Amino acid sequence: MARILVVDDEAQIRRFLRISLGANGHAVAEAETGAEAVALVRADPPDLVILDLGLPDMDGQEVVSAIREDSAVPILVLSVRAGEGDKVEALDRGAEDYVAKPFGIAELMARVRVALRRSPQAPKPAVVTAGGVEIDLDRRIVQRDGAEVRLSRREQDLLFVLARSADHVLTHQQILRAVWGPAHVEDTAYLRVYVNQLRQKLEADATQPQLIVTEPGVGYRLRTDQG
Amino acid sequence: MARILVVDDEAQIRRFLRISLGANGHAVAEAETGAEAVALVRADPPDLVILDLGLPDMDGQEVVSAIREDSAVPILVLSVRAGEGDKVEALDRGAEDYVAKPFGIAELMARVRVALRRSPQAPKPAVVTAGGVEIDLDRRIVQRDGAEVRLSRREQDLLFVLARSADHVLTHQQILRAVWGPAHVEDTAYLRVYVNQLRQKLEADATQPQLIVTEPGVGYRLRTDQG
DNA sequence: GCCCGTCTTTACGCGCTCTTTATGCGCACA
DNA sequence: TGTGCGCATAAAGAGCGCGTAAAGACGGGC
């Protein structure tokens, strides 16, 4: 799900975090020292760093700053030091969150989720392009060669369902259920009509579809530039 | 510096936060109840919400969810409940951070800074232009070809809701909930009437809308110059 | 109490969209 | 070569979403 770097000199804590994070589907890398952590982040930035302030080689606060110089990766600080000054310093140096030990694992996992959800590790392109056609999923706008294309509601629904699974085959049933609802998973006639209408409006040559391609006996697929 | 909404039923806490936040250069708005907070966020989203979970009218957790339905504004939760379950629930409902009372003011301010620095510092354009029409979101002023346009209360509400999501499609329900409240999400007749009135006042040719465009079966969208 | 602007509600007709049906084409298979 | 199936395409009727006007209800100011 996400790649997380755990920085702590105590093997026991690392083990505990590795298991907990792993159970939540994350890939865990580990570092024992600040220098090692900084080097790892620089070499291959993870999606999140969990950093214990008490490290043998350098002050944890310095590690926060050092990482921030290279990367904007979110940093979640762990510390036995519950003093307010430490918290303020770490947060102002660029840490995203600060959890005092001993911490509850449920809370920590919740805070990990928070940190990960606001930094979409896979910034999915909200806009799909294919040939001269541009599909803006966020704004629900479709353009062809720069000009906006007028689509009816059903046409839009169908196109966006395909676009959201760009370059993946969707079966007739999947599409019908998504657009017309579970009651119409058999009405493949709808599909043929509307696929055709979209092709008329979007394809350069509707008889030679480049955008919405038929997968015979299976379904349809929207082919993009990057796919 | 930033606009912050403080939600707490205890006047003493509100006062304390108002002074502390004000000293750091923030503009503070206040709400005593959950319903009031949700309404304020909907009407004019602040940059940050500081929310006490213990409110008289509704469960604080519900307030988090209600705000999340309308807005992505960061929410910092305060609570006397230090239980892990409460923390996890609030964070998973979409809160950005959770601070247990009693809290240190220095730590709280540091966490406010964290929440603000990652929130879209991108100063949203306080003024939206489209064709000859200029919409000043801050001052709630609308001009057409340099001349101020008189709009009724509902007309303003509707226009500003659309303008705040400029170039994005808003569904009938979203608009109705924002302007007329949750009880009228079915009254699409309102929408037709008021959209038409705005077009009469703002469009060059009300029969060929360039500003407020209809998305058939979905909703409406305000089209700007930059969009 | 009256006036005027605003909001709400109702009514109507046009035009688009959805649905449905019919027809034709190409391919696989016997 | 005929048959059947899946898909493409065209077309037409029904339904309703939307624009528009206008009357009634409401409320605030003088």
Side-chain angles (χ1 to χ4, degrees):
Chain A
M1 186 178 180
R3 297 163 55 247
I4 300 179
L5 174 62
V6 173
V7 189
D8 202 310
D9 60 326
E10 296 176 63
Q12 206 171 344
I13 304 254
R14 289 203 310 274
R15 182 183 134 83
F16 176 56
L17 290 177
R18 189 197 326 133
I19 292 172
S20 301
L21 292 168
N24 282 277
H26 302 297
V28 179
E30 301 178 22
E32 291 186 42
T33 66
E36 192 184 344
V38 173
L40 278 174
V41 169
R42 184 172 298 153
D44 183 18
D47 299 314
L48 173 68
V49 175
I50 298 180
L51 171 68
D52 191 322
L53 280 195
L55 294 174
D57 62 328
M58 51 195 286
D59 180 29
Q61 305 283 5
E62 296 292 338
V63 179
V64 174
S65 296
I67 290 177
R68 264 295 159 278
E69 280 182 23
D70 295 325
S71 166
V73 57
I75 302 171
L76 197 162
V77 169
L78 297 179
S79 177
V80 290
R81 302 182 238 171
E84 222 181 344
D86 284 316
K87 293 187 184 179
V88 172
E89 183 178 352
L91 294 172
D92 281 344
R93 279 174 187 255
E96 297 293 303
D97 205 343
Y98 189 109
V99 179
K101 295 192 203 174
F103 51 83
I105 187 63
E107 176 185 354
L108 184 68
M109 287 301 144
R111 290 188 181 272
V112 166
R113 284 194 291 277
V114 171
L116 288 176
R117 82 169 167 233
R118 68 173 147 249
S119 64
Q121 60 272 24
K124 47 194 166 192
V127 61
V128 175
T129 62
V133 177
E134 187 181 314
I135 303 169
D136 190 323
L137 289 169
D138 189 27
R139 299 191 294 177
R140 278 187 86 94
I141 292 175
V142 180
Q143 292 188 332
R144 175 184 171 182
D145 304 326
E148 201 167 311
V149 178
R150 252 188 71 81
L151 296 179
S152 79
R153 182 185 149 84
R154 284 274 195 266
E155 289 166 357
Q156 278 188 41
D157 288 348
L158 172 56
L159 181 62
F160 288 129
V161 164
L162 290 171
R164 232 173 275 127
S165 300
D167 294 313
H168 288 253
V169 180
L170 289 178
T171 67
H172 298 133
Q173 294 210 349
Q174 285 178 316
I175 302 172
L176 285 163
R177 183 148 18 87
V179 177
W180 278 272
H184 295 86
V185 290
E186 305 292 333
D187 294 332
T188 54
Y190 288 174
L191 260 188
R192 291 200 296 273
V193 171
Y194 275 87
V195 165
N196 183 42
Q197 287 179 7
L198 283 177
R199 281 171 175 165
Q200 300 293 338
K201 292 188 176 182
L202 298 177
E203 300 272 2
D205 178 3
T207 64
Q208 302 287 327
Q210 298 300 311
L211 190 67
I212 304 174
V213 295
T214 303
E215 302 288 338
V218 181
Y220 295 92
R221 178 167 55 91
L222 188 131
R223 187 194 292 166
T224 71
D225 290 337
Q226 51 273 22
Chain B
M1 186 179 177
R3 298 163 54 248
I4 301 178
L5 174 63
V6 173
V7 189
D8 202 310
D9 60 328
E10 296 176 63
Q12 205 171 344
I13 304 252
R14 289 204 309 276
R15 182 182 133 84
F16 175 56
L17 290 176
R18 189 196 324 132
I19 292 172
S20 302
L21 292 167
N24 282 277
H26 302 298
V28 179
E30 300 178 22
E32 291 187 42
T33 67
E36 192 184 344
V38 173
L40 280 173
V41 169
R42 180 175 301 153
D44 184 19
D47 299 314
L48 173 68
V49 175
I50 298 181
L51 172 69
D52 191 323
L53 278 196
L55 293 175
D57 63 327
M58 52 195 285
D59 180 27
Q61 304 282 5
E62 296 291 338
V63 179
V64 174
S65 296
I67 290 176
R68 263 296 158 277
E69 276 184 25
D70 294 324
S71 167
V73 57
I75 300 172
L76 196 161
V77 169
L78 296 180
S79 177
V80 291
R81 304 181 238 171
E84 222 181 344
D86 284 316
K87 293 187 185 180
V88 172
E89 183 177 354
L91 294 172
D92 280 343
R93 279 174 186 256
E96 295 295 303
D97 204 344
Y98 189 109
V99 179
K101 295 192 202 176
F103 51 83
I105 186 62
E107 176 185 353
L108 184 67
M109 287 303 143
R111 290 188 182 271
V112 166
R113 284 193 291 278
V114 171
L116 288 175
R117 84 172 165 228
R118 68 170 147 254
S119 76
Q121 212 66 306
K124 45 200 163 185
V127 62
V128 173
T129 62
V133 177
E134 188 180 314
I135 303 168
D136 190 323
L137 288 169
D138 269 350
R139 299 188 297 169
R140 284 184 82 92
I141 292 177
V142 180
Q143 292 188 331
R144 175 184 171 183
D145 304 326
E148 194 165 324
V149 179
R150 250 188 74 80
L151 295 179
S152 78
R153 169 82 190 285
R154 285 272 194 262
E155 288 167 357
Q156 279 188 42
D157 288 348
L158 173 56
L159 182 62
F160 288 129
V161 164
L162 289 170
R164 223 176 284 127
S165 301
D167 292 314
H168 286 251
V169 180
L170 289 178
T171 67
H172 299 131
Q173 294 210 349
Q174 286 178 316
I175 302 172
L176 285 164
R177 180 150 34 84
V179 177
W180 278 272
H184 295 86
V185 291
E186 305 291 334
D187 294 331
T188 54
Y190 289 174
L191 262 187
R192 293 202 299 273
V193 171
Y194 275 86
V195 165
N196 186 38
Q197 286 178 8
L198 282 177
R199 281 171 175 165
Q200 299 293 338
K201 292 187 176 181
L202 298 177
E203 300 273 1
D205 178 3
T207 64
Q208 301 286 328
Q210 298 299 312
L211 238 186
I212 305 175
V213 295
T214 302
E215 301 288 336
V218 180
Y220 294 92
R221 178 165 56 91
L222 188 133
R223 189 194 287 165
T224 71
D225 291 336
Q226 51 274 19

